[in-house]
Amino acid sequence: MKRRIGLLTPGGDVCGLNAVIEAVVKAAHKYDVEVFGYLNGYEGMVHDRGRILTLKDVEDIRHKGGTILGASKGPSPKAYPIDGQKVDMHDAILNSFKAKNIDSIIITGGDGSMREALDLCKLGVKTIGVIKTIDNDVEGIKALGYDTGTQALYDYIGHVKTTALSHSRVMVVEAMGATVGWLALRAGLASGAHAILIPEMKLDMDELTEFVNDRVENGKRFTLIVVAEGIKLPDAITPAQDDPNRTAPVLKGAGQYIEKELNQRLKGKFPNLEIRSAVPGHFQRGGNTLANDIERGLICGAEAVNCLMRDEYGFVISYLNKDIEHIPFDQIVGRAAVPEHHPIVDAVRSLGVFMGQHI
Ligand code: F6P
């Protein structure tokens, strides 16, 4: 049996994953090594579901959104729910690797997936990671999918803007980004939002109301507010988290909250003012992949295979402009929040965009 590399794409999908898959399969083929693709992330690994990926499978998939392997946000293999018990599935996984002649694994994912990758590494599996997330919340790494996600949000806001202008409305757009504000901040700045609300900055509703009030009084045609889904909401409107199989809570309601608050505070004074909200949701994760996410995916995928062939492993591959770095799994830390000072934050403030003080 030929040597085999396992490949999986756990967590939420992003644009650029198919570029990684195409590069891994093509690069491995050059070494006469086969790639076994696990279906739906760690779910496939736990249940031993997947198949050998051929050159035909990956022909010209690099630009397509999503992942041909499927993704899932299922539970950790070391505490996998079976018959009401949490079972460590690692022995079963190692046995299936042996039976298939898989000695190494390439895993794309966020910081959570990289913690699972570290577990496999400690069990002797040669493991390499590629960071992907539209939230861009892993310290020191430009994540795969972040640029395309930003562009998708920018495009969506652009559409909302034309109708906001036509109807002279206040429009609130709710951005993804989990508990950090990078996506909202970057797309908000690029698209000319008048206010950008992110979890890292204190939200003072009185100040926001005054800001919108002044714009209306000064005859501004419309007001565009971009709010990150992860802003702190009053407990009463935080949605219940009732899905035990999810590794992270579903965040929703930020846009509606701002819409409702502004309506309550401004409608009395401006009865004809329309304040509405819109949610792009998963639109931000799909679509056509931007060239730099394709490039990042291809470079990281090919480098991962080349490293394994040199018997180098135990790290995440990071590509930033011209340098490739290998960052050990145990140094991967998630939730990289927007700092008080950053070129994007400073530009937002200099342009007079409403944002609030850093918490
Ligand atoms: O982490 C990526 C992300 O898209 C977040 O921005 C968002 O909060 C979450 O995933 C949505 O997850 P799901 O697709 O499982 O609802």
Side-chain angles (χ1 to χ4, degrees), residues 12-14 73 132-135 137 175-179 183 229 246 248-251 281-282 285 335:
D13 64 341
V14 299
K73 294 188 170 179
K132 60 91 221 173
T133 163
I134 62 164
D135 307 336
D137 59 352
M176 276 192 173
T179 55
L183 201 61
E229 62 180 3
R246 283 191 61 99
V250 176
L251 298 170
H282 293 88
R285 288 227 303 259
R335 301 289 164 252

Short mmCIF file of all heavy atoms in Angstrom, two decimals, residues 12-14 73 132-135 137 175-179 183 229 246 248-251 281-282 285 335, ligand 1:
data_model
loop_
_atom_site.label_atom_id
_atom_site.label_comp_id
_atom_site.label_asym_id
_atom_site.label_seq_id
_atom_site.Cartn_x
_atom_site.Cartn_y
_atom_site.Cartn_z
N GLY A 12 -16.11 25.80 10.67
CA GLY A 12 -16.92 26.45 9.63
C GLY A 12 -16.14 26.55 8.33
O GLY A 12 -14.92 26.69 8.35
N ASP A 13 -16.84 26.47 7.21
CA ASP A 13 -16.12 26.57 5.92
C ASP A 13 -15.69 28.02 5.67
O ASP A 13 -16.24 28.95 6.27
CB ASP A 13 -17.01 26.08 4.77
CG ASP A 13 -18.24 26.95 4.59
OD1 ASP A 13 -18.61 27.68 5.52
OD2 ASP A 13 -18.84 26.91 3.50
N VAL A 14 -14.70 28.18 4.82
CA VAL A 14 -14.29 29.51 4.32
C VAL A 14 -13.86 29.34 2.87
O VAL A 14 -13.58 28.22 2.43
CB VAL A 14 -13.09 30.13 5.09
CG1 VAL A 14 -13.39 30.34 6.56
CG2 VAL A 14 -11.81 29.30 4.91
N LYS A 73 -18.91 21.37 12.78
CA LYS A 73 -18.43 21.94 14.04
C LYS A 73 -18.73 20.96 15.17
O LYS A 73 -19.15 21.36 16.25
CB LYS A 73 -19.12 23.28 14.27
CG LYS A 73 -18.73 24.34 13.26
CD LYS A 73 -19.28 25.70 13.66
CE LYS A 73 -18.68 26.78 12.78
NZ LYS A 73 -19.18 28.12 13.11
N LYS A 132 -7.58 28.77 9.14
CA LYS A 132 -8.65 29.38 8.32
C LYS A 132 -9.75 29.92 9.24
O LYS A 132 -10.12 29.26 10.20
CB LYS A 132 -9.22 28.38 7.32
CG LYS A 132 -9.85 27.12 7.92
CD LYS A 132 -11.31 27.23 8.20
CE LYS A 132 -11.66 26.59 9.52
NZ LYS A 132 -13.03 26.80 9.95
N THR A 133 -10.20 31.10 9.00
CA THR A 133 -11.40 31.64 9.66
C THR A 133 -11.68 33.04 9.13
O THR A 133 -10.75 33.85 9.01
CB THR A 133 -11.28 31.70 11.20
OG1 THR A 133 -12.29 32.58 11.71
CG2 THR A 133 -9.94 32.22 11.69
N ILE A 134 -12.94 33.32 8.83
CA ILE A 134 -13.27 34.68 8.38
C ILE A 134 -13.14 35.66 9.54
O ILE A 134 -13.08 36.85 9.33
CB ILE A 134 -14.68 34.80 7.74
CG1 ILE A 134 -15.78 34.45 8.74
CG2 ILE A 134 -14.80 33.98 6.48
CD1 ILE A 134 -17.15 34.93 8.29
N ASP A 135 -13.09 35.14 10.78
CA ASP A 135 -13.00 36.03 11.94
C ASP A 135 -11.60 36.62 12.11
O ASP A 135 -11.43 37.61 12.80
CB ASP A 135 -13.38 35.28 13.23
CG ASP A 135 -14.72 34.58 13.13
OD1 ASP A 135 -15.55 35.02 12.31
OD2 ASP A 135 -14.92 33.59 13.85
N ASP A 137 -9.14 35.63 13.93
CA ASP A 137 -8.91 35.83 15.37
C ASP A 137 -7.77 34.99 15.94
O ASP A 137 -7.72 34.75 17.14
CB ASP A 137 -10.20 35.54 16.14
CG ASP A 137 -10.70 34.12 15.91
OD1 ASP A 137 -10.14 33.41 15.07
OD2 ASP A 137 -11.66 33.71 16.59
N ALA A 175 -22.61 42.18 11.07
CA ALA A 175 -21.49 41.40 10.50
C ALA A 175 -21.19 40.17 11.35
O ALA A 175 -21.40 40.18 12.56
CB ALA A 175 -20.25 42.27 10.43
N MET A 176 -20.67 39.11 10.73
CA MET A 176 -20.15 37.97 11.49
C MET A 176 -18.83 38.40 12.14
O MET A 176 -18.48 39.57 12.14
CB MET A 176 -19.93 36.77 10.57
CG MET A 176 -21.17 35.94 10.33
SD MET A 176 -20.73 34.37 9.55
CE MET A 176 -22.31 33.54 9.59
N GLY A 177 -18.07 37.42 12.64
CA GLY A 177 -16.78 37.75 13.26
C GLY A 177 -16.63 37.15 14.64
O GLY A 177 -15.61 37.37 15.30
N ALA A 178 -17.68 36.42 15.11
CA ALA A 178 -17.66 35.81 16.45
C ALA A 178 -17.38 36.89 17.50
O ALA A 178 -17.95 37.97 17.43
CB ALA A 178 -16.68 34.65 16.50
N THR A 179 -16.45 36.64 18.41
CA THR A 179 -16.28 37.57 19.53
C THR A 179 -15.31 38.71 19.24
O THR A 179 -14.99 39.49 20.13
CB THR A 179 -15.81 36.82 20.78
OG1 THR A 179 -14.61 36.10 20.43
CG2 THR A 179 -16.86 35.85 21.27
N LEU A 183 -13.74 41.73 11.08
CA LEU A 183 -14.51 41.70 9.82
C LEU A 183 -15.35 42.97 9.67
O LEU A 183 -15.32 43.64 8.63
CB LEU A 183 -15.40 40.46 9.86
CG LEU A 183 -15.93 39.90 8.55
CD1 LEU A 183 -14.81 39.47 7.64
CD2 LEU A 183 -16.84 38.70 8.85
N GLU A 229 -21.54 41.01 15.21
CA GLU A 229 -22.48 40.13 15.92
C GLU A 229 -22.08 39.89 17.38
O GLU A 229 -22.91 39.55 18.21
CB GLU A 229 -22.57 38.77 15.20
CG GLU A 229 -21.24 38.02 15.17
CD GLU A 229 -21.30 36.67 14.47
OE1 GLU A 229 -22.35 36.30 13.94
OE2 GLU A 229 -20.25 35.98 14.47
N ARG A 246 -22.78 22.03 19.61
CA ARG A 246 -22.00 23.14 19.04
C ARG A 246 -20.81 23.45 19.94
O ARG A 246 -20.91 23.41 21.16
CB ARG A 246 -22.87 24.39 18.91
CG ARG A 246 -23.81 24.34 17.72
CD ARG A 246 -24.41 25.70 17.52
NE ARG A 246 -23.38 26.69 17.23
CZ ARG A 246 -23.07 27.11 16.02
NH1 ARG A 246 -23.72 26.67 14.99
NH2 ARG A 246 -22.11 28.00 15.84
N ALA A 248 -19.31 26.40 19.69
CA ALA A 248 -19.38 27.84 19.96
C ALA A 248 -20.83 28.28 19.86
O ALA A 248 -21.60 27.71 19.09
CB ALA A 248 -18.54 28.60 18.94
N PRO A 249 -21.22 29.28 20.64
CA PRO A 249 -22.62 29.71 20.60
C PRO A 249 -23.00 30.38 19.29
O PRO A 249 -22.14 30.95 18.61
CB PRO A 249 -22.71 30.72 21.75
CG PRO A 249 -21.32 31.17 22.00
CD PRO A 249 -20.41 30.06 21.57
N VAL A 250 -24.28 30.29 18.92
CA VAL A 250 -24.77 31.05 17.76
C VAL A 250 -24.99 32.49 18.22
O VAL A 250 -25.65 32.73 19.22
CB VAL A 250 -26.13 30.49 17.27
CG1 VAL A 250 -26.68 31.33 16.13
CG2 VAL A 250 -25.98 29.04 16.83
N LEU A 251 -24.39 33.42 17.50
CA LEU A 251 -24.53 34.83 17.87
C LEU A 251 -25.53 35.49 16.93
O LEU A 251 -25.34 35.45 15.72
CB LEU A 251 -23.18 35.53 17.77
CG LEU A 251 -22.07 35.00 18.68
CD1 LEU A 251 -20.73 35.60 18.29
CD2 LEU A 251 -22.38 35.30 20.13
N GLY A 281 -25.36 37.32 7.16
CA GLY A 281 -25.21 35.93 7.61
C GLY A 281 -24.15 35.15 6.85
O GLY A 281 -23.04 35.62 6.61
N HIS A 282 -24.54 33.94 6.40
CA HIS A 282 -23.57 33.04 5.77
C HIS A 282 -23.15 33.48 4.37
O HIS A 282 -22.24 32.87 3.80
CB HIS A 282 -24.11 31.61 5.78
CG HIS A 282 -24.21 31.08 7.18
ND1 HIS A 282 -25.34 31.28 7.94
CD2 HIS A 282 -23.32 30.44 7.96
CE1 HIS A 282 -25.15 30.76 9.14
NE2 HIS A 282 -23.93 30.24 9.18
N ARG A 285 -19.53 33.85 4.13
CA ARG A 285 -18.58 32.73 4.11
C ARG A 285 -18.45 32.07 2.75
O ARG A 285 -17.61 31.19 2.56
CB ARG A 285 -19.01 31.69 5.15
CG ARG A 285 -18.78 32.11 6.59
CD ARG A 285 -18.11 31.03 7.40
NE ARG A 285 -18.84 29.80 7.41
CZ ARG A 285 -19.62 29.39 8.40
NH1 ARG A 285 -19.78 30.14 9.47
NH2 ARG A 285 -20.22 28.22 8.34
N ARG A 335 -8.76 34.14 19.45
CA ARG A 335 -9.45 35.32 19.96
C ARG A 335 -8.55 36.55 19.98
O ARG A 335 -8.49 37.27 20.99
CB ARG A 335 -10.05 35.08 21.36
CG ARG A 335 -11.04 33.93 21.36
CD ARG A 335 -12.33 34.30 20.63
NE ARG A 335 -13.12 33.13 20.32
CZ ARG A 335 -13.26 32.63 19.10
NH1 ARG A 335 -12.68 33.16 18.06
NH2 ARG A 335 -14.00 31.57 18.89
O1 F6P B 1 -16.19 31.41 13.10
C1 F6P B 1 -16.72 31.67 11.84
C2 F6P B 1 -18.16 32.07 11.93
O2 F6P B 1 -18.62 32.36 10.65
C3 F6P B 1 -18.45 33.23 12.89
O3 F6P B 1 -18.14 34.47 12.33
C4 F6P B 1 -19.92 33.01 13.19
O4 F6P B 1 -20.26 33.51 14.46
C5 F6P B 1 -20.04 31.53 13.18
O5 F6P B 1 -18.94 31.00 12.44
C6 F6P B 1 -21.32 31.02 12.56
O6 F6P B 1 -21.31 29.65 12.69
P1 F6P B 1 -22.38 28.69 12.04
O7 F6P B 1 -22.13 28.65 10.56
O8 F6P B 1 -22.12 27.39 12.68
O9 F6P B 1 -23.70 29.26 12.38
#
